[in-house]
Amino acid sequence: MKYFSGLGLKNDWHLFKSLIKNFGFSLNKYDIVGFDYGAILALQYAEQKIKKHERIGKVILLSPTFFLQNLLEYTHKDSTDACRHLMSNTLHTTNKNSYILRHLDKPSYDIKNTKLTNTSIHCMCSKNFITHMDYKKIATKGIPISYIAWNRFVRQCYNNFFYYPNMYMRIVYNRYGFIHLQHNTWLYCGYNKKCRVFTHIPNIVHLGNLLSYKYNKIDKIAKKSNLFVTFLPENDKMINSKTVVDFFSQFGICLVLKNCNYILQQKLKNTTMQQ
């Protein structure tokens, strides 16, 4: 089994293995699983396997990162190309881990000497510190935002991540549903005391991939896989949950977990299935 972690996470597979087992999905070496951004990496990995004419088993996506905007085709410019264009205008790569900033305005919110509590995180999110997890606030009721508004949103995500990556990820971990401890090395989910999920600051290129990925090959992957399964929380963090369910249920089994947060933790008694 090949597993891909969420953005900024390590060891998070331990959160989901019992969940997958409880739903009767046994895993073998051909199966591919991914959580959050890892769901995108799982799909990209499956695409590579298909191109090489290699076997893929079950494909299981856990709370996949999903932007309705990236399903749309623009007559004047493709949204994926727009995201990559922003990346090229924003960063000049000098080596694998070094970047030169271009054309970005420094965020006006000054977080120096600010105590990073859950309350302060909430206040910052409600002001002008935007992360990709705030997409639902911008694209309400499943209605796609304009091309200009989408580019502005993407730029602000890059902007905040580049200048304040630690703050950016603190907000993301909070939205996932983790409790971030003071020593900043691992997260506590509040439901499994034995499970420690470790953190790391992702590369900004990963954020670019997350914001630009389009699900235009998902149909081919679903057909080639033995089984295509998507797990989703009832209250999706990205967009209207009904829209997300309607999309993924076209390709296989879509399990919507009621009373669960983004990391699919809490009671699993009430579950709806669509196929």
Side-chain angles (χ1 to χ4, degrees):
M1 185 272 297
K2 183 74 173 179
Y3 177 76
F4 295 91
S5 294
L7 188 72
L9 299 178
K10 293 179 181 179
N11 202 48
D12 49 313
W13 163 239
H14 297 288
L15 288 174
F16 308 110
K17 60 182 181 180
S18 60
L19 171 70
I20 292 174
K21 183 179 179 180
N22 289 341
F23 277 91
F25 300 114
S26 58
L27 301 176
N28 59 49
K29 65 179 181 179
Y30 299 106
D31 297 331
I32 306 169
V33 184
F35 164 67
D36 181 60
Y37 171 56
I40 290 176
L41 297 179
L43 291 172
Q44 291 176 330
Y45 179 77
E47 288 176 31
Q48 294 172 3
K49 300 284 280 186
I50 292 171
K51 285 181 181 179
K52 294 178 182 178
H53 304 287
E54 295 178 358
R55 176 182 172 184
I56 61 172
K58 292 181 284 295
V59 176
I60 301 178
L61 309 181
L62 306 163
S63 296
T65 299
F66 179 87
F67 300 106
L68 180 61
Q69 206 71 12
N70 284 343
L71 293 179
L72 305 178
E73 294 291 339
Y74 292 94
T75 56
H76 56 292
K77 184 180 285 188
D78 185 271
S79 62
T80 303
D81 291 338
C83 286
R84 289 172 181 165
H85 178 70
L86 276 173
M87 279 291 290
S88 64
N89 284 340
T90 298
L91 301 172
H92 171 65
T93 306
T94 56
N95 57 53
K96 186 175 181 181
N97 296 309
S98 179
Y99 302 91
I100 297 174
L101 189 64
R102 289 181 179 174
H103 309 308
L104 283 184
D105 298 323
K106 195 168 184 178
S108 58
Y109 196 94
D110 186 6
I111 61 170
K112 292 180 180 179
N113 302 319
T114 302
K115 188 177 180 180
L116 301 181
T117 63
N118 286 341
T119 302
S120 65
I121 288 174
H122 175 75
C123 292
M124 290 177 188
C125 291
S126 63
K127 294 182 179 179
N128 63 347
F129 199 101
I130 298 295
T131 73
H132 65 279
M133 296 290 282
D134 293 296
Y135 181 68
K136 189 172 183 179
K137 294 180 181 179
I138 298 171
T140 57
K141 301 180 181 179
I143 301 172
I145 59 179
S146 70
Y147 176 77
I148 294 175
W150 167 250
N151 281 338
R152 187 183 300 118
F153 168 75
V154 170
R155 181 176 291 277
Q156 195 161 4
C157 290
Y158 287 147
N159 191 41
N160 290 337
F161 182 88
F162 188 92
Y163 280 106
Y164 303 122
N166 290 298
M167 181 63 202
Y168 191 101
M169 293 311 302
R170 286 289 294 266
I171 293 172
V172 170
Y173 297 142
N174 181 265
R175 296 291 170 81
Y176 283 161
F178 288 112
I179 299 172
H180 204 285
L181 301 184
Q182 292 181 354
H183 44 75
N184 296 331
T185 57
W186 61 278
L187 302 165
Y188 172 56
C189 67
Y191 305 98
N192 186 347
K193 295 181 180 180
K194 296 181 180 180
C195 177
R196 290 189 175 188
V197 179
F198 294 88
T199 68
H200 69 95
I201 301 299
N203 192 302
I204 197 170
V205 174
H206 297 162
L207 179 62
N209 188 29
L210 178 149
L211 288 165
S212 65
Y213 183 76
K214 296 189 74 173
Y215 287 85
N216 55 356
K217 296 181 181 178
I218 192 170
D219 184 53
K220 183 178 180 181
I221 296 171
K223 288 178 180 178
K224 291 287 185 178
S225 65
N226 290 343
L227 188 66
F228 193 90
V229 183
T230 308
F231 284 86
L232 293 164
E234 183 181 21
N235 298 314
D236 190 85
K237 294 288 185 182
M238 295 293 182
I239 200 171
N240 183 288
S241 58
K242 184 181 183 301
T243 303
V244 180
V245 172
D246 289 345
F247 175 74
F248 284 104
S249 60
Q250 300 175 76
F251 308 105
I253 298 173
C254 187
L255 295 164
V256 184
L257 305 185
K258 292 187 176 181
N259 302 318
C260 282
N261 59 10
Y262 197 70
I263 53 176
L264 305 176
Q265 299 292 307
Q266 281 182 8
K267 297 179 180 179
L268 304 179
K269 294 181 179 180
N270 298 319
T271 307
T272 61
M273 178 183 291
Q274 297 186 19
Q275 183 170 9

